[in-house]
Structures are given as C-alpha cells and as structure tokens.
Amino acid sequence: MRSILILLGLLLTIAFASASFPYQCGQQSCQYGQVCRIDNGVCGCIPVNDCHEVSLSSKVIGSWVDGSRGNKRYTQYDITITNNLNTNIKQIYISTDYTLRLRDSSNNSIWNVNLLPNGILTLPSYQPSINAHASFTFGFILEGTQPAHLNVLSVSF
C-alpha cells in the first residue's frame, strides 16, 4: 500500500508539473474549479466549494515601500493551511497564478513551503503532513498590495 501511495504521489507531481487544466487525478481528469481529492489512494474530482477537508486563509503581516528598489511597495503575507479532517493530510498541492509576484527570485521571499518551477506550492520535506485538526503556516513577500490567488489543486489523506 505504501509503494502505491508513493507512486501516486510521484504521478501527481508529474501531472502538476504541467500545471494546465485538465490535470490528472488518478484515472480522472480534474477541470478548472475542481480539487483532486485522494482518500486512501482513491482519487476523485470534486468542486472546489465542496472541498471542506482543507481551507486556506491569508493574513497581511505588513506592507512597506523600499526606496532602494525604486520606491516599490511590498506586502508580507502568512498563509495558513487548516486541516478540518479527523485524519492527517499526507500531501497538498496549491496552485498559483500571475498574482504570486514575489519580491525576488531568492528563497528570501518565500518560506516554509516548496515552490515548484511551475508555480505549484507543496509542503516542505520537514513538514511531510498536517495532523488532524491542525494547521500549517507559510509565508511570502509580494510586490505590490494585491494578494496572491491560491487554490487547492489536490489533497491527499
């Protein structure tokens, strides 16, 4: 069973590497506005609004103008992933778009999360899961004041 879950995780990573819709969810293809929900290895596409297992919330930590960068405004955000389940979340993939305009391309502008080359966010290796009814917070600094559009693509438990 463990090897099947590892294989499923690798397949999902490859599927999300293209980050285009539709994307694979086991034998199905999820469309824009759907979440790939994986419960004990069984995949299914559900509407985003029906995904109550996990929630994302954002909080503005601060905003400032940096004179050394041409008087550009930057805003720091904390994003909290909350597990609303009675079981651990084993993996989560979060989509981003053009609104994730990091202050710079270094790891100094985003922390506590892996940013894949295609813009997908995943849990870092030191946080392999989110316990039942627990939360996990990551953060980033964006150029401007517009918050990033983040959506759960896939959740595995």
Side-chain angles (χ1 to χ4, degrees):
M1 183 65 169
R2 182 178 169 103
S3 61
I4 291 172
L5 290 175
I6 291 171
L7 178 60
L8 182 59
L10 290 172
L11 290 173
L12 282 172
T13 301
I14 292 167
F16 292 140
S18 64
S20 60
F21 293 94
Y23 60 91
Q24 286 302 119
C25 179
Q27 297 294 319
Q28 302 177 36
S29 294
C30 293
Q31 303 297 319
Y32 181 78
Q34 293 183 316
V35 174
C36 176
R37 183 179 180 273
I38 306 165
D39 185 358
N40 290 315
V42 178
C43 301
C45 300
I46 62 169
V48 170
N49 295 337
D50 292 346
C51 183
H52 305 289
E53 293 88 357
V54 63
S55 58
L56 301 176
S57 60
S58 65
K59 177 182 176 183
V60 173
I61 302 302
S63 186
W64 65 94
V65 174
D66 188 343
S68 68
R69 294 180 182 243
N71 289 325
K72 288 186 178 181
R73 177 165 292 280
Y74 297 98
T75 306
Q76 180 178 334
Y77 294 89
D78 273 355
I79 308 299
T80 301
I81 305 167
T82 302
N83 179 355
N84 301 313
L85 294 167
N86 292 324
T87 187
N88 294 353
I89 290 176
K90 297 176 186 173
Q91 184 58 273
I92 186 167
Y93 292 91
I94 300 169
S95 71
T96 64
D97 62 11
Y98 69 94
T99 59
L100 187 73
R101 296 179 18 202
L102 295 174
R103 176 182 58 183
D104 53 46
S105 59
S106 73
N107 287 335
N108 295 328
S109 293
I110 190 166
W111 52 90
N112 283 354
V113 70
N114 287 336
L115 175 60
L116 301 177
N118 61 2
I120 302 293
L121 303 172
T122 66
L123 293 174
S125 60
Y126 55 83
Q127 180 70 39
S129 64
I130 302 173
N131 291 337
H133 299 288
S135 61
F136 177 75
T137 301
F138 64 93
F140 46 71
I141 299 171
L142 298 182
E143 184 177 320
T145 58
Q146 179 181 3
H149 298 150
L150 304 176
N151 293 298
V152 175
L153 278 178
S154 174
V155 61
S156 176
F157 50 94

